[in-house]
Amino acid sequence: MDIAAGGVLLGNGDGTFQGIPLGATPSAPTYAAIGDFDKNSTIDVAALSDSSLYILSNSGAGKLTLTHTYALQEPGYGIVTADFNGDGNLDLLVVQTNPITQLWGYSILLGNGDGSFQAPVFYPQGAQTAASEYSIVVADFNNDHKMDVAIMPREGGSLEVLLGNGDGTFASPVGYYDRGFPSLVADFNGDGKLDIAAGGFDLASTPLTPRDSDTFRKWRWHFPSRGLPHKPKRFCGHLHGGS
């Protein structure tokens, strides 16, 4: 297992690591997602820095090289990857906040399967968050075999669930009032339906209360007094061809 966090740490298999540069980017990345974007059986990196998205291709030996840059309409504060249109290629979803209006939105970049992506398509949402970090989880919440997304600003606010249409677009967000930061998705109550655990900042228990529909039932989940930890995400994966 290797780690990338400002650089690449190649695992030696004994709990120690050797460092190599992350790759040349014009500015330091703040958020990232990993996946095999060019289908060569190595892990690549999509890294955000302000309003730029950098794609770093993996040589297979752990060396990451900047291959593509995409300009975003607004600064990005969270990114995930999944196959949102069912074509077998990994796509990207970037959550953004306008620094002036503080309105949030998201961009979709559909993958071409060769390490490149189609131009970002931006979907403004018309609601203020002032967030500088978002938690994003991807799962099939409604069992239609299409990837859905749950988004919440780190500073707390409304948890927004976007149900996927299976073509790279999403239905309008369904909001749930909550002060937590969604971190875990699993079937917590054994009913065959995926649930979301949202850890609050200061609350010992965090309610998940439907705002617009009953997609998720009202829920109370108990955590320690400070909730789940809220640390900037790093990413790990097998970045080189060693065993």
Side-chain angles (χ1 to χ4, degrees), residues 221-243:
W221 191 264
H222 295 279
F223 289 107
S225 61
R226 292 296 298 176
L228 295 177
H230 311 295
K231 300 296 183 182
K233 291 180 175 60
R234 296 295 184 263
F235 48 97
C236 63
H238 193 57
L239 298 173
H240 69 125
S243 57

Side-chain angles (χ1 to χ4, degrees), residues 71-89:
L72 302 174
Q73 184 166 328
E74 296 173 355
Y77 295 107
I79 183 172
V80 292
T81 184
D83 181 7
F84 294 119
N85 62 348
D87 64 354
N89 302 329

Side-chain angles (χ1 to χ4, degrees), residues 24 54-58 65-69 115-116:
Y54 305 120
I55 306 300
L56 301 166
S57 179
N58 189 342
T65 304
L66 177 62
T67 54
H68 301 282
T69 301
S116 67

Side-chain angles (χ1 to χ4, degrees), residues 4-200:
V8 176
L9 302 176
L10 299 181
N12 296 318
D14 58 0
T16 64
F17 296 85
Q18 53 181 314
I20 64 173
L22 175 61
T25 57
S27 56
T30 51
Y31 303 95
I34 62 173
D36 185 7
F37 302 131
D38 53 10
K39 295 184 174 181
N40 67 348
S41 300
T42 61
I43 299 297
D44 310 306
V45 177
L48 284 175
S49 180
D50 196 48
S51 296
S52 296
L53 172 62
Y54 305 120
I55 306 300
L56 301 166
S57 179
N58 189 342
S59 68
K63 181 180 179 181
L64 298 173
T65 304
L66 177 62
T67 54
H68 301 282
T69 301
Y70 299 92
L72 302 174
Q73 184 166 328
E74 296 173 355
Y77 295 107
I79 183 172
V80 292
T81 184
D83 181 7
F84 294 119
N85 62 348
D87 64 354
N89 302 329
L90 287 177
D91 311 308
L92 297 171
L93 183 148
V94 180
V95 185
Q96 299 153 261
T97 300
N98 186 298
I100 298 175
T101 65
Q102 299 183 343
L103 299 175
W104 80 282
Y106 65 92
S107 291
I108 297 291
L109 294 86
L110 297 179
N112 296 318
D114 60 359
S116 67
F117 294 82
Q118 298 178 29
V121 178
F122 181 63
Y123 297 89
Q125 295 306 303
Q128 289 184 320
T129 66
S132 59
E133 182 181 355
Y134 291 87
S135 172
I136 315 169
V137 291
V138 178
D140 180 11
F141 294 122
N142 57 348
N143 295 314
D144 64 353
H145 307 291
K146 301 171 185 176
M147 289 294 98
D148 311 311
V149 179
I151 302 170
M152 179 176 279
R154 185 185 190 281
E155 288 77 2
S158 178
L159 167 65
E160 302 291 341
V161 176
L162 291 74
L163 297 180
N165 296 319
D167 59 0
T169 65
F170 294 84
S172 297
V174 176
Y176 299 83
Y177 291 120
D178 180 74
R179 290 188 61 197
F181 197 45
S183 298
L184 304 174
V185 171
D187 180 10
F188 292 110
N189 60 345
D191 65 354
K193 303 172 184 178
L194 290 177
D195 312 308
I196 299 175

